[in-house]
Amino acid sequence: MASTPRGIPLADETTIVNPIQTTLNAMATAVNDALDDMVEEIAVSQGYYTGSNADRLALAAPKLRNGVGWLVVETGVTWRYTAGAWSIESRPRTAYTPTVTGLTASQISVTASYEQEGKVVRGRVRIQRTGAGSPSGNISVSLPVTPLDTTSVRSLGDGSFYLANNTTAYIAIARYTGASSFTISLPQVVGSALTHGTNVNATYPTSAAHAVGTNAYLTFEYEVA
């Protein structure tokens, strides 16, 4: 027996005569429409929707109002409409492709991902050497989102730098100096203070080639606008 999208059965000619079938079909359709309206009313009253990102951007008043939430089905990102604008409330772990400078793109393999809770972004990056050769300059890695504070020099996170040509592992720091990227920096002890050391580059920590198998693992965390 046929049914509505919500599973309400529809009568057909094999089970009941035509005039009654028509009446029951109309009733079932009406019930189905009423349930759809009820679901819509609940969503409106609670101020929470699920749909595509295009649908989110197309939402208009009176449904669009401060406090409305939206779950984007294709990405899992949750948005909240406040102060007349959409802002990300939550982003699940998402892959991104950072721009790495100081290393030849054809000689590295890069994997990176990040997540967001409110205004806080957290992520991690792995850079693996697949071809030998010293860096051409300081190694820097782009961030997925520009930080709120772009003026303060600081550490965004830590990690390790493993130099395959002499099997040495160093503690590494994601050192931020502005814009939308950080440099890989190695901490040094100077006197009694722990300071950011020289950025990883062609001559530091070694003048030899950074061989195949050299790896950098970095984490970062910062606030966004």
Side-chain angles (χ1 to χ4, degrees):
M1 180 179 292
S3 62
T4 70
R6 293 190 177 279
I8 301 173
L10 294 168
D12 57 43
E13 62 275 6
T14 63
T15 58
I16 200 162
V17 294
N18 261 350
I20 302 178
Q21 172 191 337
T22 300
T23 301
L24 290 178
N25 284 352
M27 291 175 61
T29 300
V31 171
N32 190 73
D33 291 343
L35 288 173
D36 283 340
D37 291 342
M38 185 182 300
V39 170
E40 178 70 13
E41 288 171 4
I42 292 173
V44 171
S45 65
Q46 293 181 340
Y48 190 82
Y49 299 88
T50 299
S52 69
N53 197 54
D55 290 339
R56 174 185 68 84
L57 295 173
L59 193 68
K63 294 178 181 179
L64 180 62
R65 64 188 190 278
N66 287 332
V68 164
W70 191 290
L71 173 63
V72 179
V73 292
E74 60 260 43
T75 61
V77 176
T78 300
W79 294 79
R80 183 70 61 183
Y81 192 79
T82 55
W86 288 104
S87 61
I88 293 177
E89 190 170 62
S90 176
R91 179 190 296 276
R93 179 65 61 172
T94 303
Y96 85 102
T97 304
T99 299
V100 178
T101 60
L103 292 170
T104 303
S106 62
Q107 296 182 346
I108 59 174
S109 172
V110 184
T111 56
S113 62
Y114 72 107
E115 60 188 2
Q116 183 174 343
E117 288 296 330
K119 300 295 185 181
V120 178
V121 168
R122 300 181 184 89
R124 54 179 176 260
V125 177
R126 178 193 181 189
I127 303 171
Q128 183 178 37
R129 292 307 306 268
T130 57
S134 294
S136 58
N138 294 336
I139 301 176
S140 68
V141 183
S142 65
L143 294 165
V145 186
T146 301
L148 174 63
D149 178 2
T150 58
T151 60
S152 300
V153 176
R154 62 195 185 276
S155 170
L156 300 184
D158 55 22
S160 63
F161 184 77
Y162 175 75
L163 202 60
N165 64 357
N166 61 5
T167 65
T168 300
Y170 299 85
I171 294 173
I173 293 174
R175 185 183 186 213
Y176 182 77
T177 57
S180 297
S181 63
F182 65 84
T183 55
I184 300 176
S185 189
L186 307 183
Q188 292 178 320
V189 176
V190 179
S192 59
L194 180 65
T195 64
H196 289 294
T198 305
N199 296 329
V200 176
N201 54 46
T203 59
Y204 187 81
T206 175
S207 59
H210 292 224
V212 174
T214 292
N215 278 276
Y217 298 88
L218 279 302
T219 63
F220 55 80
E221 178 176 326
Y222 58 92
E223 185 180 5
V224 297

